[in-house]
Each structure stands twice: as C-alpha cells, then as structure tokens.
Amino acid sequence: MARKTAIVCGAGGFIGGHLVNRLKEEGYWVRGVDLKENEFGNMNADDFVLGDLRDPRVCAALFDRQIDEVYQLAADMGGAGYIFTGDHDAAVMHNSALINLNMVEEARKHGVGKVFYSSSACMYPEYNQLDPDNPKCSEDSAYPAAPDSEYGWEKLFSERLYLAYARNYGMNVRIARFHNIFGPQGTWTGGREKAPAAICRKVAMAEDGGEIEIWGDGKQTRSFLYIDECIEAVRRLMESDFPGPVNVGSEEMVSINQLVDYVCEIAGKTLRRRHDLTKPQGVRGRNSDNRLIREKLGWEPSMPLKEGLRRTYEWIAEQVRRHEAASV
Ligand code: NAD
C-alpha cells in the first residue's frame, strides 16, 4: 500500500511538532509548514516549509503531490496574557481566519481525503462558565454563541467554515475543540505561554520559601490535557467516521490554586502566593465534557493531571536551568 501523506500546518508549534512525530511513527510522509522552525528542535517532518499561510500562494504550493490528510493547527495564539488583553484581537482574527480560509479552499481544490481542524474550548459561551464549580461545555451548548474572546469567535467562525465545506463540497472534515493542552516542548516563557507552563516556570525559578505571582484569585477552575493524550484523540478522530466538533480535554477539573499546589509538591517547594487581580484570567470555570467523545470514539484520556505535570515540570525546570546558565 502507498505511504499515506499528510500536511501539518503549525508544525513549528507545540501540538503540531508532537503530531508530526506521531504521524512519522505511523509511517506517514509528512510535510510540515510554519512561520518558524520548532524552537525546541521538534523537527521530524520529511519536508518542512517555512512559509506564511496567510499567503494563498504559499498554501497552494504545499500541494505539489497527492496529499491524503491535512491537519490545520496553525493559529495566531497564546495564553491569557496574549488572548485576553484585547491588544491582539484584530491580529488574532485576521491572521487565523486567513489561514483557515486559504487552507480549506486549497484542500478542496486538491481533493484532500480528510481535513482536521483544531478548534478550542474558548468558543463556548461565557454565560455557561461563570460558576467555577459548574461550568457547562457540552458540545451542544455552543449556541447561542457568546465566547469571551475574539480568539473564540474566530474558532467558531472557522468551525462553521469547515462544516460548510463539508456540506457544500462533500469535504471530509474532523473538528476537535481542544481544552488546555500542556506538556514538554511547549511555549514556557515570552508572553504566549499558558497557565501550566507559566506556573511551572515560576515555581522552577523561585527559591524554596519564596513568593510567586498568580493571576487572579486562583479560584478559577480549568482542566488540562497532557499532549500525548491530545495526539491520541486527534488520530482516533481522524480514523473514525465522526466529524465532530468534539471536545478533546480532561474532566479532571482543578482550581488554579490546586494546580499551583500540585506543581509546588512536585518541585518540593513551599511558596507564598501573591494574587494579582488586575491580570487577565478568562472565564471563571471551564471543564471538558467527555460524554460525546466516549460515545463516538469509545475513548477518553486516562493520565492523571499530576503525572502530566510532573513530566512538564521536569522539562521546564531544565529549560530554566539552561536559560540561567546561558545568562551568567
Ligand atoms: P502554537 O502557538 O505552539 O502553534 C501554532 C503555530 O502556528 C505556531 O508555531 C505559529 O508559528 C504557527 N503560525 C501562526 N501563524 C502562522 C502563519 N501565518 N503561517 C504559518 N504558521 C503560522 O500553539 P499550539 O498550542 O500548538 O496550538 C495548535 C492549535 O491548537 C492552534 O490552532 C490553537 O488555537 C489550538 N488550540 C490549542 C490549545 C492549547 O491548549 N495549546 C487549546 C485550544 C486550541
């Protein structure tokens, strides 16, 4: 049988880099594409195109051979410090929408077998996520739409774009709504990092008995999914007949304070917390609802949060050590 071929958009990023590895393990020929190379050396694609997917010519040139699958993960994205300040709203909407408009159209023109799109839990309405103890994120609760960020609105628009291509052109699409994916080889500093990486970094950099800053009162809740589980879900979704959208997340909901407790325990440090209520925090509560993925794929993640955090903390502590060693 001919080797399967795939394009991974956003292969220079966190999830894209890990997905390339998985597809390679499965025997695929993989073309990665991104604005930048993967900064942690996660560069195992057979072919890597440094290019801007906002440019339709760059997108068109990716299809110079038969492509079986496209995984569209490229987005202008970051954690709360990037998405929720409001400063990047226009760029986030413009850049990510252009990428999706270009890629879905090129995939259609070139008759790609299946197209995966990475949406986000940020598309769920804010009004269902005001109570930290009882957030509602079932797939059917998406409408009436009211995401709390422009990033979420763009995800919703692009979900609809892929679904419209499926309806009108018979395109075979798969859509996952990722809930806080974390793990090694992800952004851990610089302003675009997300909560688990930021907390691991702060704890790794603090002296035992010292103090760290926490954004908000720490009572906001979230769930976090380890990267390997996310990749497994993406591959299972692609192999299934179910288009989604479906949540890909963990149901192990914790408060940010609990997350800090876990990381401190892993690091063996006792730290004071200074809560900064002026910093962006996102919704009060969010948790994945995995009923649909259990029903449709017969699968759900199994790794406890603590285990994923232990692996992530070790990797980030090592980055911090290297960084500090390089700067003395
Ligand atoms: P990431 O920022 O590490 O990866 C995204 C990549 O897209 C980056 O490497 C970036 O350079 C690339 N990119 C941005 N603009 C581009 C352009 N114009 N042309 C080419 N490449 C471009 O983020 P990630 O965490 O790996 O997320 C991957 C996808 O999953 C994104 O679509 C994101 O919105 C979605 N998602 C992630 C999470 C999460 O917790 N990490 C949660 C929900 C959804």
Side-chain angles (χ1 to χ4, degrees):
M1 212 172 75
R3 221 172 152 196
K4 275 197 178 173
T5 55
I7 292 175
V8 176
C9 304
F14 168 50
I15 303 174
H18 285 273
L19 179 62
V20 168
N21 295 343
R22 171 66 184 259
L23 292 171
K24 288 294 301 164
E25 275 166 30
E26 290 187 37
Y28 279 69
W29 180 90
V30 184
R31 170 170 284 156
V33 53
D34 203 296
L35 281 176
K36 60 174 177 68
E37 295 193 342
N38 188 289
E39 60 188 302
F40 310 114
N42 213 356
M43 292 281 293
N44 298 314
D46 296 277
D47 179 42
F48 189 88
V49 177
L50 261 185
D52 189 338
L53 295 167
R54 290 172 301 183
D55 181 345
R57 288 165 303 184
V58 170
C59 298
L62 298 171
F63 296 88
D64 62 356
R65 59 187 286 169
Q66 177 61 39
I67 298 295
D68 298 317
E69 297 175 5
V70 166
Y71 294 82
Q72 201 318 76
L73 295 116
D76 191 354
M77 96 111 178
Y82 187 74
I83 295 298
F84 296 117
T85 59
D87 298 341
H88 311 285
D89 287 350
V92 163
M93 296 189 91
H94 175 87
N95 295 337
S96 297
L98 273 184
I99 295 169
N100 285 307
L101 287 162
N102 289 339
M103 281 307 297
V104 74
E105 177 61 7
E106 290 303 327
R108 180 193 70 79
K109 279 190 202 158
H110 293 91
V112 171
K114 276 184 209 167
V115 179
F116 172 84
Y117 173 58
S118 54
S119 182
S120 164
C122 288
M123 47 64 63
Y124 283 115
E126 186 178 19
Y127 57 76
N128 280 333
Q129 302 173 84
L130 300 174
D131 176 358
D133 298 323
N134 285 301
K136 183 175 177 190
C137 288
S138 55
E139 286 81 352
D140 60 5
S141 71
Y143 297 95
D148 71 331
S149 65
E150 301 300 1
Y151 170 76
W153 278 105
E154 190 283 326
K155 288 292 187 193
L156 202 55
F157 163 77
S158 290
E159 280 191 6
R160 300 189 68 97
L161 175 70
Y162 287 91
L163 291 170
Y165 268 68
R167 276 197 313 278
N168 292 165
Y169 302 125
M171 184 181 268
N172 204 356
V173 302
R174 302 285 182 275
I175 300 174
R177 293 174 179 161
F178 291 160
H179 289 244
N180 282 315
I181 315 304
F182 75 105
Q185 294 170 313
T187 307
W188 61 278
T189 189
R192 286 183 185 241
E193 65 278 16
K194 306 186 92 185
I199 290 169
C200 286
R201 184 196 69 233
K202 289 175 187 181
V203 171
M205 293 180 79
E207 299 283 342
D208 191 18
E211 184 179 90
I212 55 169
E213 181 189 272
I214 304 296
W215 289 10
D217 61 8
K219 293 179 185 151
Q220 65 273 36
T221 53
R222 293 291 186 279
S223 68
F224 302 94
L225 183 71
Y226 190 69
I227 180 69
D228 293 359
E229 308 256 35
C230 169
I231 300 295
E232 178 67 26
V234 169
R235 288 293 301 125
R236 284 183 185 240
L237 183 61
M238 275 303 253
E239 294 299 310
S240 79
D241 294 328
F242 182 56
V246 66
N247 290 330
V248 167
S250 157
E251 288 180 325
E252 189 184 345
M253 187 172 82
V254 293
S255 69
I256 296 299
N257 285 331
Q258 277 172 287
L259 187 70
V260 177
D261 289 345
Y262 285 172
V263 177
C264 286
E265 191 187 313
I266 290 162
K269 294 183 183 178
T270 306
L271 300 172
R272 292 185 310 281
R273 292 136 203 227
R274 182 166 30 86
H275 291 276
D276 188 340
L277 304 181
T278 67
K279 290 284 173 34
Q281 301 162 45
V283 293
R284 284 304 286 165
R286 175 172 291 152
N287 192 11
S288 187
D289 180 329
N290 289 346
R291 283 174 296 176
L292 190 63
I293 199 165
R294 274 195 293 270
E295 180 198 324
K296 297 292 182 184
L297 303 188
W299 180 85
E300 61 184 325
S302 58
M303 185 188 289
L305 173 60
K306 263 192 193 173
E307 175 55 21
L309 280 176
R310 192 186 55 71
R311 298 182 191 188
T312 308
Y313 180 79
E314 276 173 17
W315 183 81
I316 290 181
E318 177 58 25
Q319 306 310 304
V320 168
R321 273 193 294 276
R322 284 193 200 167
H323 200 70
E324 288 174 346
S327 56
V328 283

